[in-house]
Amino acid sequence: MAVKVLRPGVERRVANGLDSMRLGAALVWKLVPQARRLEPQAFVETIANSLDLELDMRLEAAAASEMAEVMAKDSYMSAPAVIWDGVGKRVLTLEWAPGVPMTDPALPDLPGIDKDQLADNVVRAFLVQALDHGAFHADLHEGNLFASAPAHLTAIDFGIVGRLGPAERRYLAEILWGFISRDYDRIARVHFEAGYVPAHHSVETFAQALRAVGEPVIGRAASQVSMGRLLGQLFEITALFDMSLRPELILLQKTMVSVEGVARRLNPDHDLWAAAKPVVERWIKRELGPQAQAKDALNEVISAARAISRLVQEPPRPTTVVIEKSGTPAWLVASVTVAVIAALTSLGLSLWPYLH
């Protein structure tokens, strides 16, 4: 087993560090107007919330247990079981993680290790967690990973778990799929629909800017891509189109950078997009395909029918009002209600074949 214990005084050191970060963020906000769109204070508070959770070993044990269940649903990554009798506010006990630490320089050359598949698995494990389950290990660097032949990964340290709602998961999937399929117009529309780009900008111009970033890197080996140049271009685009930092996506962005770094160190020529494609394509087909759209439409029909039913069963209580103008004729209200119910019924019947 492995036992993790908080050092004495660590809470005070974290609090002092956060105070310094808050002061720095306030100074940046006041003295550097160009940086305000990056929401430095919201960024610090996001980090502070994560650290507060990480300082309670009971919460980390719960996160480890949850993520073990999530990871067990695919074959890319696993987590050690929690030994609950050894869990307290300042102590966490887990089963021993199998495998070789990924910080070991000799790992890629060990017998039976498939470093290319390991690189693919770390990317796919992260994407499955984020897209399929909305909960992901948000600290996936080599110090928290163990590998065993041929390409199995075991993760530890679940103090930081990122969470995505349905809207953020759809945003992530559509953006990735847009780059994989080189559909820059789609990527641009998703940004505008999510409110990440102010509406006064041009969708077409934003798509053009995305193409300038994506085309030089899609399909190329990672060793041929300058990450510094790519990040510089992305930063320039966010400034050009008045894009603000999204606090809810900070952990996602941080983890994506870490995961790509792990994959590139295993295989300098690793193709991140090829590794991501099977997971993203599966999600797109399942969540946005014809059958999923039909189910969504039918659910809307059912919700509307229930609302009408509740209105009929529990009509609003009558109130005394002074009518200065003639109201809508009763025959017109009845006609519209009948027409709406008929339309909803027709739509439901037309979608029924897609649900089988």
Side-chain angles (χ1 to χ4, degrees), residues 10 19 96:
V10 68
D19 287 343
W96 190 258

Side-chain angles (χ1 to χ4, degrees), residues 294-311 340-341 344-345 347-348:
K295 286 185 177 180
D296 289 343
L298 184 58
N299 287 335
E300 292 180 5
V301 170
I302 293 172
S303 297
R306 287 174 176 170
I308 293 173
S309 175
R310 285 194 299 269
L311 186 61
V340 168
I341 293 174
L344 291 173
T345 303
L347 178 58

Side-chain angles (χ1 to χ4, degrees), residues 129-135 164-174 283 286-287:
Q129 293 167 29
L131 291 178
D132 290 352
H133 307 288
L164 298 177
E168 289 78 26
R169 289 155 70 180
R170 178 168 180 166
Y171 166 77
L172 172 61
E174 293 229 43
W283 191 95
R286 185 182 68 241
E287 301 294 334

Side-chain angles (χ1 to χ4, degrees), residues 59-69 79-82 84 92 94 158 161:
L59 296 179
E60 181 170 344
S65 176
E66 178 188 3
M67 293 307 301
E69 293 178 1
V82 177
W84 287 101
L92 169 66
L94 302 174
F158 297 90
V161 172

Side-chain angles (χ1 to χ4, degrees), residues 43 81 94 107 240 242 245 316:
F43 174 80
L94 302 174
L107 173 67
L240 184 62
D242 304 316
L245 180 73

Side-chain angles (χ1 to χ4, degrees), residues 48-70:
N49 291 337
S50 298
L51 288 175
D52 286 341
L53 296 176
E54 195 169 5
L55 292 176
D56 190 330
M57 295 293 97
R58 296 167 299 184
L59 296 179
E60 181 170 344
S65 176
E66 178 188 3
M67 293 307 301
E69 293 178 1
V70 167

Side-chain angles (χ1 to χ4, degrees), residues 329-347:
W331 65 268
L332 180 58
V333 174
S335 299
V336 171
T337 301
V338 171
V340 168
I341 293 174
L344 291 173
T345 303
S346 176
L347 178 58

